[in-house]
Amino acid sequence: MRFGETLKSARLRAGLTQLQIAQALGITASTYCGYETGKRQPDLSRLRRLAQLLHTSADALLSLPSDSPEIQKAPVHPVTEAEYEGLELFRSLDAHGQRIVRLVLDEELSRLQAAAFRAPERAIFRISEQPAAAGLGVYLGPDAFCDVSVRRSALPRGARFGVPVSGDSMEPAYHDGDILIVSDALPEPGDVGVFVMDGMGYVKVCGRGELLSLNPAYAPIPMTEGIRPCGKVIGTLDPRLIFPA
């Protein structure tokens, strides 16, 4: 099956429209339509974002048929830049080098599984060291996430990453310094979400064509073509449930 047909099938299974995907990618609807018709091809960064939005993998979108068991599996975590670089390095090794890497990976996996058995109440959670503004926007990029150990029961189903709040435009629901728990789900009108526009991060209510604040002192922000939703806010993380390093 061609890439465009596989992409369309994955989108329909995810229950998303072409416009929703285009808005999430920061492109026009006609550009996205070109992906499905075969007139255009996404670059690597947009391919990875597509896989994240459609709860599948880039490899599945590129090479597996839409009815393949691999695509029917549970949602997978999006592949990071570092993971792609690691794959490229692995492929550049000869058979001996790849065998050594597998031995090291097996050893490390056993170590982590043993640690998880000793501390079953803990889970690893990614939190951005850069805040998302509940105000006029601050820079929010993918290059400043750190892994922390938290109490597993503190993470609701679907939790993917955390983002601190900066500002007061989302009071009284969210306050400066709160750590938001964000899922991969696309925020719909009425949902609170994390958005990036021109490199600036926002925590806002998703409106129809605009981002809304809960604090009436802040005016709505028009949603431009370049805005990108990063996920839906599904809770806050109590700092007392973060274990010391």
Side-chain angles (χ1 to χ4, degrees), residues 19-78:
L19 179 59
Q20 286 175 316
I21 296 293
Q23 289 176 337
L25 293 176
I27 59 177
T28 64
S30 61
T31 296
Y32 174 79
C33 181
Y35 294 165
E36 292 193 357
T37 59
K39 295 180 180 179
R40 295 174 180 268
Q41 290 292 326
D43 57 25
L44 185 57
S45 63
R46 287 197 175 126
L47 178 63
R48 294 170 186 167
R49 180 60 178 157
L50 276 169
Q52 179 184 12
L53 293 170
L54 299 176
H55 302 297
T56 184
S57 67
D59 286 345
L61 290 176
L62 288 171
S63 60
L64 294 178
S66 61
D67 56 356
S68 171
E70 283 81 357
I71 292 186
Q72 303 298 330
K73 290 180 180 178
V76 298
H77 295 292

Side-chain angles (χ1 to χ4, degrees), residues 40-163:
R40 295 174 180 268
Q41 290 292 326
D43 57 25
L44 185 57
S45 63
R46 287 197 175 126
L47 178 63
R48 294 170 186 167
R49 180 60 178 157
L50 276 169
Q52 179 184 12
L53 293 170
L54 299 176
H55 302 297
T56 184
S57 67
D59 286 345
L61 290 176
L62 288 171
S63 60
L64 294 178
S66 61
D67 56 356
S68 171
E70 283 81 357
I71 292 186
Q72 303 298 330
K73 290 180 180 178
V76 298
H77 295 292
V79 179
T80 66
E81 187 76 27
E83 288 168 339
Y84 269 99
E85 291 176 357
L87 176 59
E88 292 175 357
L89 289 173
F90 181 81
R91 287 177 173 174
S92 69
L93 298 174
D94 59 15
H96 174 74
Q98 291 182 358
R99 187 163 55 252
I100 295 299
V101 170
R102 289 194 182 97
L103 289 174
V104 173
L105 290 175
D106 288 343
E107 186 70 23
E108 283 299 291
L109 181 60
S110 297
R111 180 182 64 83
L112 291 175
Q113 289 174 338
F117 179 78
R118 292 192 298 270
E121 79 282 2
R122 299 190 180 199
I124 300 300
F125 190 54
R126 303 196 75 201
I127 296 180
S128 173
E129 296 175 326
Q130 300 163 331
L136 301 179
V138 294
Y139 172 75
L140 181 65
D143 51 350
F145 277 80
C146 63
D147 291 339
V148 299
S149 180
V150 303
R151 189 176 298 278
R152 192 179 301 275
S153 60
L155 300 177
R157 185 180 181 86
R160 288 294 177 264
F161 62 93
V163 177

